[in-house]
Amino acid sequence: MSGKRLVRMTVNGSPVEEAVEPRLLLSDFLRQVLGLTGTHVGCEHGVCGACTVRVDGSTARACLMFAVQAEGCRIVTVEGLGPAEALSPLQEAFREHHGLQCGFCTPGMLMTALDLIEKYPLASDAEIREGLSGNLCRCTGYEHIVAAVRAAAQRRREPSS
Amino acid sequence: MTEPVETLAARPKSVGARVRRTEDPRLLAGQGRYVDDLAPPRLLHVAFRRSDMSHARIRGLDLEAARGAPGVVAVVAAADLEGLAKPLVAASRMASYHGTPLRPLAEGKVRFVGEPVVAVAAESRYLAEDALELVDIDFEPLGTVIDPEAAAAGDAPLLHEEIGTNVLVERRFRRGEPEAAFAAAAHRVGGSFRFRRKSPGAIENRACLAEWDAGRGALTLHSASGIPGIVRDALSEALDLPGHRLRVVAPDVGGSFGGKGSLYPEEILVSLLARRLGRPIKWTSDRLEDLTATSQAFDEIVEAEMALDAEGRVLALRAEVLGDTGAYSIYPWTAGLEPVQVVGFLPGPYRIEHYEAHVRAVATSKAPTGPYRGVGRPAAVFATERLMDLAARKLGLDPKEIRLRNFVRPEDFPYKIGSGIVWDRSGFTECLEAACARAGYPALREKQRQARAEGRWFGIGLASYAELTGIGSKISVAPGMPINTGTETAVVRIDSTGGITAAVGIASHGQGLETTLAQVVADELGARLEDIRIVQGDSDAVPNATGTYASRGAVLAGGAAILASRVVREKLLRAAGHLLEAAEADLEARDGRVTVAGTDRSMSFREIARAVYSEIGRIPHDKREELEATRLYDPYYGTTSSATHVATLEIDPETYRVTLGAYLVAEDCGRIINPMIVDGQVHGGVAQGVGAALYEEVVYDADGQNLTASLVDYLIPSAPEVPPMTVLHVEGELPATLGGFRGMGEGGTIGAPAAIANALSDALAPLGIGIDELPATPERLFRLIERAQQRQDNQSTGEER
Ligand code: FES
Ligand code: FES
């Protein structure tokens, strides 16, 4: 099971180079090798969305990828959004609207929400809910998450307001 | 001096405000610290070989190959742990009760699929799992015990031979003369209600990490737990370690809902192994393990009948309840926790003079059931609220009207229901009226008339309930359990830099207690919110604690924090009196400063603290006292929270998919500390109720295999399945708890299944269908509707002839 392979990628803007087993999941690579524990793991079978990260500009489930498959990719994790003392507008919207309780689904939720507000018009709540349907939250009942995404999308459309 | 609730009311500031949460920035930035994020040096990882048999004797084990596998440090089975830990048994004062031992690994036999049998410790989880494949277990099947009714019968295979029966608890409740009341009743309604088994489904799976400090002979267990205090006390007994050498920390915890509210074999196992191997050791559950070995929920058959007079007043209620509690009596709550409380809460918010109930908790070869949001109440409310609607139909009354006729009225409080629970003043009627007013109930009925005319299946469902929260020491939160769950301690301290710390024994796992408790302390002390830090989830923080469960955090820890803060405030003012040369009565504390009233003379808390602790000569030497207090709070009885839910829905005639319309909750949770957080708790609870009503079910086949062991098969609602929700707060007369708080963490899950079941039944009333089994999946709805339509067809062809 040894036979490590070298893998290179950019994570949150920094170049990374590590020798890893080919079977190492991207989620474990981020959490255990790089110590970026913001990306969470809730199922490891692609359903809960807690492990959602950005790979070359698209959302991906880090539990469904091997680290070696990310060779040469640009990865963004929740740690790349904004630090605790300078949250991004999307993170702020989640705080303002109480879009998190235990915070465990939150990193994945934020990564999905970022993709949604950047790529879709999000004209209705139904559209927001549909867009979030790949991320499970057991705490919030989604109501406040929807409100946070709605506010963040609005703010993106009308930055001054 | 009597100074009850009023201090807060007199200076309401932080309490009641929509304060943003203190815990959010770290969680939003990916800087939370959950157990699996912790990685001390030399960490070992554990993986478990779990039983794939439902009920079997362990004839033989071959661990040699696994022991020789790469990276493996230890492979252990029960025999290897002999004498290292005392088995723990959940105790109960109930006469008919039988406890079962909690062991880290199965000994002699296995009793459910998923029970841990062998533990492998290795340098990585990958290597530990590789080695699991090399473990060989020889099982001799003993016959599954799946159907609870069969399990309760005399000839079923016994899960615990030494007990001599699978019935772990049996109880009877009786008040008044139910037989006579039934005999005299103008109307009777009844049914058999089946609430299927659930999984709590926190998105963070359970995890625990033990570190042994050989130099100090001390163990630290980090655990994703809601009850670090109970875990500490239990481990102390099992491992024979005093509390000052045994610390249990629940860091950031990713939800529990009850699933992290019991002591687990894995917590004992990693503790033992850390001590034995002298290295830190961690186990993180995967989802398969969570869905097979975390405590499950509900799973009752409730046969209930109601007697009414000609005006629709309920005269009597009787019930026969069978709870399928799985293989073990969960520690510390016991197998009585869930089914006995079903019977405890069945009478609901209604005046019902005569009551009779018989309940049994029966062991089956499935994962143990334990606490899950609502505990007992969701199944009870489902049955009682269905009966209310059945009665309304029978008598031609509106569902709202029959409830109004039967509620405990304001003048009846305190009211003791047939099971012995006492309701203090709570807004039963007010909640129903407020809910119906906001929902536009008459207009909804009109909408339904139109939908029916178009042949659509549109339904409206009401559910009203009451629950006991913030329970004090008069009774235990689990019936018959001898552990005191009725007190909490808070330690409030201003240190020499002016920093304010309030330490409590409860453990937040999403409730935002770091924020709400700080709001309470800020108001009591006259401090600024940002100067207060709440320490929670750490058994070292206070002398005794249990944890967060049973909607008690705000009431008990909030009460203790109020008491301790008051003492610190007095000390602070005494010191300020010396420093400002003023009478204490002339001082006021506000925004982190003490001011002499009517003057501009003032000092900040920080300046006072420095003078008290660090500066020579500022305070008379015999007047220095630490700015700290420890206080315990016991609300003794607890207090009643209540609500009415209104659900609307439509059933798709093609797919049998249910679409919920806007959902409404009107609730009385006393004084609200933070409305944003209360709303969030209600939303989350309702979403779990939606899951319980329509989607979620743990399914075991006849061989005892769990067929819903992934999130593909166990369906947790996602955003599109959960309706938009409105929460109305009916703040009536405040309860007698300190601060006037009531618990409100669970109500959403208590009301929603019943409201949805009533709405489905309402939608399908033209077909004569009543929902008596949850979840009402599309498949179940399809079968019910198909049968009803056949029945109608047969009738109409019969009539034509
Ligand atoms: S952990 Fe990747 S989807 Fe659940
Ligand atoms: S905030 Fe807890 S799972 Fe979403």
Coordinates of all heavy atoms in Angstrom, one line a residue, chain A residues 41-44 46-51 61 63, ligand 1:
Chain A
V41 N -16.1 16.2 6.9 CA -16.5 15.0 6.3 C -17.7 14.4 7.1 O -17.7 14.2 8.3 CB -15.4 14.0 6.4 CG1 -15.8 12.6 6.0 CG2 -14.2 14.4 5.5
G42 N -18.8 14.2 6.4 CA -20.0 13.8 7.1 C -20.5 12.4 6.6 O -21.4 11.8 7.3
C43 N -20.1 12.0 5.4 CA -20.6 10.7 5.0 C -19.6 9.9 4.1 O -19.7 8.7 4.1 CB -21.9 10.9 4.2 SG -21.7 11.7 2.5
E44 N -18.7 10.6 3.5 CA -17.8 9.9 2.6 C -18.5 9.1 1.5 O -17.9 8.1 1.0 CB -16.8 9.1 3.4 CG -15.8 9.9 4.1 CD -14.8 9.1 4.9 OE1 -15.2 8.3 5.8 OE2 -13.6 9.2 4.6
G46 N -20.7 11.0 -0.7 CA -21.1 11.9 -1.7 C -22.5 12.5 -1.5 O -23.1 13.1 -2.4
V47 N -23.1 12.3 -0.4 CA -24.5 12.7 -0.2 C -24.6 14.1 0.6 O -25.4 14.9 0.3 CB -25.4 11.7 0.5 CG1 -26.8 12.2 0.8 CG2 -25.4 10.4 -0.4
C48 N -23.8 14.2 1.7 CA -24.1 15.3 2.6 C -23.6 16.6 2.2 O -24.1 17.7 2.6 CB -23.6 14.9 4.0 SG -21.8 15.1 4.2
G49 N -22.5 16.6 1.4 CA -22.0 17.9 0.9 C -21.1 18.6 1.9 O -20.6 19.7 1.5
A50 N -20.9 18.1 3.0 CA -20.0 18.8 4.0 C -18.6 19.0 3.5 O -17.9 20.0 3.9 CB -20.0 18.0 5.4
C51 N -18.2 18.2 2.6 CA -16.8 18.2 2.1 C -16.6 19.1 0.9 O -15.6 19.0 0.2 CB -16.3 16.8 1.8 SG -17.3 16.1 0.5
R61 N -16.9 17.4 -4.5 CA -17.0 16.7 -3.2 C -15.6 16.1 -2.9 O -15.2 15.2 -3.6 CB -18.1 15.7 -3.2 CG -19.3 16.3 -3.7 CD -20.6 15.6 -3.2 NE -21.5 16.7 -3.3 CZ -22.7 16.8 -2.7 NH1 -23.0 15.8 -1.8 NH2 -23.5 17.8 -2.8
C63 N -14.7 14.2 -0.8 CA -14.7 12.8 -0.4 C -14.8 11.9 -1.5 O -14.7 10.7 -1.4 CB -15.8 12.5 0.6 SG -17.4 12.4 -0.1
Ligands
FES1 S1 -18.5 13.9 3.1 FE1 -18.4 14.2 1.1 S2 -20.5 14.3 0.5 FE2 -20.6 13.8 2.6

